[in-house]
Amino acid sequence: MNIGEGSPDYRFAPHERPLMPGSPATPDHPTSRRIGYFLIGTLLGLTGGFINGLLTANLPQIQGALGLTNVEGGWLTAAYSMTNICMSLLLIKFRQQFGIQRFTRMVLAGFLALNLSQIFVHSYGFELIVRGAGGMVASGLSTLCLFYMSQSMPPDKRLGGLVLGVGMSQVALPLARAISPALLIHGDVQNLFLFELGLTLLCLACVSILRLPPSERIEAFEPLDFLTFALFAPGMALLCAVLAQGRIVWWSTPWLGHALAGSLLLVGAALTVEHNRANPLLNTRWMGSAAIVRFAIIAASMRVLLSEQNYGASGLLNVVGMGQDQLVIFYAVMTLATIAGLVASLVTLNPTDLLRPVIVSCALIAAAAFMDMDASNLTRPAQLYGTQVMIAFAAIYFLGPAMMGGMLQALARGPSHLVSFSAVFSISQQLGGLGGAALLGSIQIVRERLHSEVLVQSILPTDPQAALRLQQLGGAYARTLGDPALRQAEGTILLGQQVAREANILAFNDVFALVGVLATLAFLYLLARWGYFKWKGITPLGKELAALAAMRNKAAS
């Protein structure tokens, strides 16, 4: 085992030793250094979140600049998820074998190369490559953020660093929408690329000034690891492609079925290989246990429910004519609510009761969704502040405790389980986010068509009100069109647009109702489970916490 990168003679004190190889040591830091770690961790987390946040917030502008269709734009989103979802499998073992400093340099140097290339090369193919590589880089930056945040915490609060590390990249998502109009003030998407380049250079400078403590290294990679990854990663990528493109090209498109079948075959083959290994990359027996399956379902379900904001509220505001410039304050408020959720999650963190934040988050989502059900064409951001603040708070309030619950289960069974946990958590979050948008988007499209049909059938030519409305709409062209027939035709077009808008609004109300029902069911299930634990006096993670305490005591002795 190699100890102390860049410092061969360094030896850790017992209490400084990292919890597992590939993680930095945990020495006691003075307050000034902890503040430095916190600031750098914040920068890394926001930078990692901006990789996807700026793409999501400005996808229409990027499509316009490159002349892309909706399908081609969908592939940009899919490319990020396809690479991000599985990179943690390799990056954990890379850190364990080559060390944290080499890992840091590799991540930031790769991101810098991408940003520089993006400024000079403008094509759809290259943008796909950049977004795919961005998914890999974002996975590494999230890990670095977590490490820096852990170093910023006092020794007895280091678990809180996990909450900060996981949550900081989530703050970047609404913040990206709030700052995007300022970046695109001249309508040039090149400003987005320059902004990312500046952040990368700043990250490189900061991590060079204040490095992470050294880590322990071991021989981590085995030949079969690469076979597993070669099967598992393409399989998950195909599944991401299906979820990202399904509602755009629609689910009856033949290639979606072929991709889904290929995904099942590849993932199944990878899991078969792992199930029969003595030292697996993915511990299929542990991943298939009831506790981990339950954790994955809860984590993915929460991400589906949170699509009420990412897809539902954003889509509704677009339908009623709100552009990016008009939503700056709205997303600034969402950013503050996200920060509040992160702070509340950290302050109320209790490893013996990690289910309570998830219950509270479900209650907030259900209440907000039901309150949004009465949206109309007069709905504006001001009417959504309260409900969307509730959802933004819930989005981050549950995430840290949920991740900690799974990580404690993994660490209690040994460092080798951390790769499996990382895969479960990353997959649940990515598939939950993509699946939520796919589910709500598909339902919204189906309900919009149904409402359009009903509304059109209710408009009769013999109805005096309909005739008057057509006359009023056509009258808007009275100064430019002298022919009454042409004015009536234009009025009919405008009426059709109004009908489509109303149908979309009604469909979004149906989406909000569905989210409210699902969140209520999740709330009732989790509340019943939490009540059962309290009644029986059971600490859900009591065994895991005891095992970790024993590991720490053994390492310190």
Side-chain angles (χ1 to χ4, degrees), residues 38-259:
F38 175 80
L39 294 176
I40 296 174
T42 300
L43 175 64
L44 291 169
L46 292 177
T47 301
F50 279 144
I51 295 177
N52 188 42
L54 290 174
L55 169 66
T56 304
N58 300 285
L59 185 58
Q61 288 78 8
I62 295 174
Q63 285 182 216
L66 297 177
L68 307 180
T69 64
N70 286 337
V71 174
E72 291 171 328
W75 280 115
L76 293 179
T77 303
Y80 174 89
S81 299
M82 290 164 72
T83 55
N84 181 265
I85 193 169
C86 288
M87 275 311 297
S88 57
L89 297 180
L90 289 186
L91 292 182
I92 289 177
K93 287 209 166 187
F94 183 93
R95 293 197 315 269
Q96 291 176 339
Q97 182 149 339
F98 299 106
I100 191 70
Q101 300 301 337
R102 191 172 297 177
F103 170 79
T104 302
R105 290 192 296 269
M106 181 195 73
V107 169
L108 291 176
F111 195 31
L112 178 61
L114 287 174
N115 292 148
L116 286 172
S117 302
Q118 197 172 25
I119 292 174
F120 299 106
V121 182
H122 303 98
S123 69
Y124 175 54
F126 186 75
E127 191 66 22
L128 278 175
I129 295 172
V130 169
R131 294 305 163 186
M136 303 179 193
V137 172
S139 180
L141 287 175
S142 298
T143 302
L144 288 176
C145 171
L146 189 149
F147 287 154
Y148 270 87
M149 285 298 182
S150 296
Q151 296 295 323
S152 73
M153 304 297 285
D156 58 336
K157 301 289 185 180
R158 287 245 160 86
L159 284 178
L162 295 177
V163 177
L164 287 174
V166 173
M168 198 56 68
S169 61
Q170 301 301 311
V171 175
L173 301 180
L175 183 59
R177 292 183 180 272
I179 67 174
S180 287
L183 294 174
L184 296 176
I185 193 168
H186 298 299
D188 188 1
V189 296
Q190 189 84 340
N191 295 333
L192 298 175
F193 308 147
L194 290 172
F195 180 67
E196 289 184 339
L197 175 61
L199 287 176
T200 306
L201 293 172
L202 191 57
C203 288
L204 273 169
C206 288
V207 299
S208 298
I209 293 172
L210 183 58
R211 296 187 176 188
L212 288 168
S215 63
E216 297 181 349
R217 289 182 285 163
I218 59 174
E219 293 295 326
F221 282 114
E222 297 181 7
L224 282 179
D225 291 342
F226 299 100
L227 174 61
T228 297
F229 188 80
L231 293 170
F232 192 74
M236 297 307 302
L238 288 173
L239 184 55
C240 288
V242 170
L243 293 176
Q245 291 284 15
R247 66 186 174 94
I248 300 176
V249 302
W250 204 243
W251 303 101
S252 56
T253 303
W255 73 260
L256 293 176
H258 301 153

Side-chain angles (χ1 to χ4, degrees), residues 2 161 185 252 328 364 371 374 449 543:
N2 298 315
I185 193 168
S252 56
V328 172
L364 290 173
M371 292 168 66
D374 61 348
R449 291 173 180 172
K543 294 180 179 178

Side-chain angles (χ1 to χ4, degrees), residues 230-546:
L231 293 170
F232 192 74
M236 297 307 302
L238 288 173
L239 184 55
C240 288
V242 170
L243 293 176
Q245 291 284 15
R247 66 186 174 94
I248 300 176
V249 302
W250 204 243
W251 303 101
S252 56
T253 303
W255 73 260
L256 293 176
H258 301 153
L260 184 59
S263 172
L264 294 176
L265 287 174
L266 289 169
V267 172
L271 295 179
T272 300
V273 171
E274 292 299 287
H275 195 74
N276 295 287
R277 288 180 61 183
N279 186 26
L281 178 68
L282 297 171
N283 194 313
T284 55
R285 292 172 176 82
W286 180 73
M287 292 170 65
S289 64
I292 300 304
V293 170
R294 190 184 306 113
F295 162 79
I297 291 174
I298 291 174
S301 299
M302 289 297 294
R303 191 53 61 190
V304 170
L305 296 177
L306 291 169
S307 296
E308 197 271 5
Q309 181 170 84
N310 300 328
Y311 176 81
S314 298
L316 173 66
L317 291 173
N318 287 332
V319 166
V320 298
M322 295 290 102
Q324 244 185 357
D325 293 342
Q326 298 165 294
L327 297 176
V328 172
I329 296 177
F330 177 79
Y331 284 113
V333 172
M334 297 307 104
T335 302
L336 294 176
T338 304
I339 295 173
L342 180 58
V343 173
S345 180
L346 181 64
V347 171
T348 62
L349 184 65
N350 181 3
T352 64
D353 192 7
L354 295 175
L355 196 58
R356 183 172 55 185
V358 185
I359 296 173
V360 173
S361 296
C362 284
L364 290 173
I365 295 170
F370 285 132
M371 292 168 66
D372 284 340
M373 282 174 50
D374 61 348
S376 69
N377 57 29
L378 299 178
T379 298
R380 295 297 181 267
Q383 282 81 54
L384 298 179
Y385 280 160
T387 57
Q388 296 310 303
V389 161
M390 293 164 64
I391 293 180
F393 182 93
I396 201 70
Y397 186 61
F398 95 96
L399 187 59
M403 180 182 182
M404 181 179 291
M407 184 170 284
L408 288 174
Q409 295 184 60
L411 291 175
R413 287 162 178 79
S416 62
H417 287 69
L418 193 62
V419 177
S420 301
F421 162 73
S422 180
V424 170
F425 184 77
S426 178
I427 290 170
S428 67
Q429 292 300 289
Q430 286 291 339
L431 295 187
L434 289 173
L439 172 65
L440 300 189
S442 299
I443 291 174
Q444 195 273 334
I445 291 172
V446 171
R447 297 298 296 176
E448 184 272 334
R449 291 173 180 172
L450 176 63
H451 287 302
S452 289
E453 184 177 347
V454 172
L455 290 174
V456 168
Q457 290 178 351
S458 67
I459 300 175
L460 301 176
T462 57
D463 186 350
Q465 290 185 344
L468 178 61
R469 187 63 175 165
L470 281 172
Q471 184 179 2
Q472 291 172 338
L473 293 172
Y477 296 92
R479 294 185 178 181
T480 56
L481 293 177
D483 188 339
L486 288 177
R487 287 201 302 269
Q488 171 126 6
E490 292 296 336
T492 302
I493 293 173
L494 290 177
L495 181 61
Q497 292 174 350
Q498 292 183 356
V499 168
R501 182 190 64 191
E502 294 300 321
N504 273 292
I505 293 172
L506 292 172
F508 275 112
N509 286 340
D510 293 339
V511 167
F512 297 146
L514 174 64
V515 172
V517 170
L518 294 177
T520 300
L521 294 175
F523 167 76
L524 293 175
Y525 167 74
L526 295 173
L527 183 63
R529 187 171 178 80
W530 182 81
Y532 174 80
F533 289 146
K534 293 297 182 182
W535 179 49
K536 291 291 187 178
I538 300 173
T539 302
L541 295 176
K543 294 180 179 178
E544 286 78 4
L545 291 170

